[in-house]
């Protein structure tokens, strides 16, 4: 496979989904996972409150086993939230739920991408924290040709399991890339540059996300609050970094 597939020679790169993450992770110093609706948005909300978030790729008995092993609360499906199990992938529900020191947060896309990183640093990026993420990455020396950043737009899944590129994740990835560019990281791959251009050229991020396929799906299911939280542009100054299996606030 040629170097063109990993966007070699560029300091900031863009790919989609777990397969794209696995490809770019081979040559990246840092992976920024972007899953706006809703994994990385939920990570920012939880870490903001002081919770360590353990990502897990399945919502099954293995997630429950991990929660028991690390002494954590376990997030359930949105529709399964109860008084005794108040945590879910819903960022709005996480805001209402009691704060716990540790939380296992299953997510088939965001968690799977985080698991592909190998020795790379993994950051959770979203529309809530792009400026903070860009600043932290630049301050740590990431985003150069020598220490490239791979920004991974998670996307969604079609009924047959195929990747569906999702507008909200393109905008979230573009927001992080645009923030890096403002910090002087201008060696962008064309893919990354176009994502930043889409973000910069979108006049109303909230309306775009609410009216895209993923936003309309959540709103139709009764989770408009999740879309509202996910589009709180730059409301969060926290940079969640994956350390010892859990996302925690970077120092």
């Amino acid at each position: 496979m040629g170097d063109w597939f990993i966007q070699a020679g560029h300091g900031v790169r863009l790919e989609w989904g777990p397969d794209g993450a696995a490809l770019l992770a081979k040559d990246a110093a840092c992976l920024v996972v972007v899953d706006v609706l809703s994994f990385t948005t939920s990570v920012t909300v939880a870490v903001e409150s002081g919770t360590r978030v353990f990502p897990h790729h399945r919502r099954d008995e293995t997630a429950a086993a991990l929660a028991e092993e690390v002494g954590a609360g376990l997030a359930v499906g949105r529709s399964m939230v109860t008084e005794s199990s108040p945590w879910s992938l819903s960022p709005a529900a996480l805001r209402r739920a009691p704060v716990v020191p540790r939380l296992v947060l299953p997510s088939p896309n965001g968690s799977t991408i985080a698991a592909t990183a190998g020795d790379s640093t993994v950051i959770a990026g979203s529309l809530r924290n792009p400026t903070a993420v860009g600043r932290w990455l630049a301050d740590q020396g990431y985003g150069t040709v020598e220490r490239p950043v791979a920004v991974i737009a998670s996307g969604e899944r079609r009924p047959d399991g195929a990747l569906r590129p999702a507008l909200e994740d393109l905008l979230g990835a573009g927001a992080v890339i645009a923030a890096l560019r403002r910090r002087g990281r201008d060696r962008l791959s064309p893919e990354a540059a176009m994502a930043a251009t889409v973000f910069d050229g979108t006049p109303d991020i909230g309306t775009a996300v609410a009216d895209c396929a993923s936003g309309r799906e959540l709103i139709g299911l009764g989770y408009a609050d999740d879309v509202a939280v996910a589009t709180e542009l730059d409301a969060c100054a926290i940079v969640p970094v994956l350390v010892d299996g859990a996302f925690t606030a970077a120092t």
Side-chain angles (χ1 to χ4, degrees):
M1 185 175 292
D3 285 350
W4 52 87
F5 283 106
I6 59 172
Q7 301 167 39
H10 300 288
V12 183
R13 310 170 189 183
L14 173 77
E15 254 293 358
W16 283 90
D19 290 341
L23 186 65
L24 292 197
K26 300 173 184 178
D27 193 51
C30 180
L31 250 65
V32 180
V33 184
V34 179
D35 190 348
V36 170
L37 296 175
S38 299
F39 175 71
T40 55
T41 296
S42 295
V43 169
T44 66
V45 169
V47 172
E48 204 171 26
S49 70
T51 298
R52 295 182 66 209
V53 177
F54 292 78
H56 192 70
H57 64 289
R58 290 182 181 174
R59 188 180 295 119
D60 59 10
E61 65 277 2
T62 63
L66 175 60
E68 183 175 356
E69 177 186 342
V70 301
L74 175 62
V76 298
R78 280 183 172 90
S79 63
M80 298 171 65
V81 167
T82 63
E83 187 174 343
S84 59
S85 297
W87 310 283
S88 81
L89 194 60
S90 160
L94 287 179
R95 278 191 174 163
R96 295 189 294 267
V99 175
V100 288
R102 300 176 187 86
L103 180 69
V104 171
L105 187 63
S107 166
N109 285 338
S111 292
T112 301
I113 291 169
T116 67
D119 295 331
S120 301
T121 300
V122 180
I123 299 296
S126 70
L127 287 167
R128 296 191 72 241
N129 67 343
T131 295
V133 169
R135 180 188 305 116
W136 186 87
L137 290 171
D139 288 348
Q140 297 298 313
Y142 294 117
T144 65
V145 173
E146 295 75 24
R147 301 187 73 198
V149 170
V151 182
I152 308 299
S154 294
E156 297 290 346
R157 292 289 169 184
R158 302 188 192 279
D160 65 357
L163 176 71
R164 175 176 69 80
L167 177 62
E168 72 275 10
D169 292 337
L170 178 64
L171 290 169
V176 171
I177 294 164
L180 274 164
R181 185 162 58 185
R182 292 194 300 271
R183 302 291 292 186
R185 296 301 194 254
D186 56 1
R187 294 292 297 273
L188 310 182
S189 71
E191 293 86 349
M194 286 305 298
T197 298
V198 170
F199 171 76
D200 284 338
T202 301
D204 188 334
I205 298 295
T207 296
V209 173
D211 205 32
C212 75
S214 304
R216 292 175 68 187
E217 177 187 21
L218 277 182
I219 292 169
L221 291 171
Y223 300 109
D225 286 352
D226 285 349
V227 178
V229 175
T231 53
E232 295 172 343
L233 189 59
D234 265 330
C236 176
I238 294 294
V239 179
V241 58
L242 192 63
V243 178
D244 296 330
F247 282 103
T248 189
T251 57

